[in-house]
Amino acid sequence: QVQLVESGGGLVQAGGSLRLSCAASGRTFSMYAMGWFRQAPGKEREFVADITWSGVSTYYAGSVKGRFTISRDNAKNTVYLQMNSLKPEDTAVYYCAARISGRTTAGIVSENEYGSWGQGTQVTVSS
């Protein structure tokens, strides 16, 4: 498995931007497809976006499509989530996750498919 550490969360006003990073340990990062999930208070964790091992294909939840961008740098063992036009409803703990299964396919939204998880980073958007 790969170990994951998220960073970049914080407090931002509505309409602002943040970029989350997820650093992975190990030399096998490029073997994994990566995803971002989030969990708001009192709600279940939900899929945000994912990216294939090569970075060629991405997929987004409808609620963030057009505002968020997932990308990766395999040389730096890091996946990013650029979040623009943030809304108060984007407030949540954001988690990155890695999966070996279907690593050439984007749009795998079930968290059960992801075997490694980070500890999460808090994003708070004020109105």
Side-chain angles (χ1 to χ4, degrees), residues 1-5 22-34 72 77-78 96-100 114-118:
Q1 290 189 346
V2 63
Q3 284 72 50
L4 305 172
V5 179
C22 173
S25 65
R27 296 176 293 176
T28 59
F29 175 70
S30 63
M31 293 177 60
Y32 295 85
M34 300 296 296
R72 66 189 296 160
N77 283 10
T78 302
C96 69
R99 56 176 168 83
I100 283 283
Y114 293 79
S116 298
W117 292 82

Side-chain angles (χ1 to χ4, degrees), residues 98-115:
R99 56 176 168 83
I100 283 283
S101 62
R103 68 191 190 102
T104 61
T105 302
I108 295 181
V109 305
S110 171
E111 61 180 79
N112 294 329
E113 297 295 327
Y114 293 79

Side-chain angles (χ1 to χ4, degrees), residues 13-88:
Q13 289 187 333
S17 298
L18 281 175
R19 188 177 81 156
L20 306 183
S21 298
C22 173
S25 65
R27 296 176 293 176
T28 59
F29 175 70
S30 63
M31 293 177 60
Y32 295 85
M34 300 296 296
W36 285 96
F37 290 75
R38 67 186 182 185
Q39 188 168 21
K43 295 186 177 181
E44 294 186 351
R45 189 157 57 186
E46 64 175 3
F47 172 86
V48 175
D50 69 344
I51 187 167
T52 55
W53 72 274
S54 63
V56 169
S57 296
T58 59
Y59 183 82
Y60 298 90
S63 59
V64 306
K65 193 173 184 179
R67 300 187 298 122
F68 290 10
T69 302
I70 188 171
S71 61
R72 66 189 296 160
D73 185 338
N74 285 344
K76 295 183 178 180
N77 283 10
T78 302
V79 62
Y80 304 97
L81 186 68
Q82 178 67 44
M83 306 185 295
N84 298 329
S85 302
L86 283 161
K87 304 175 181 180

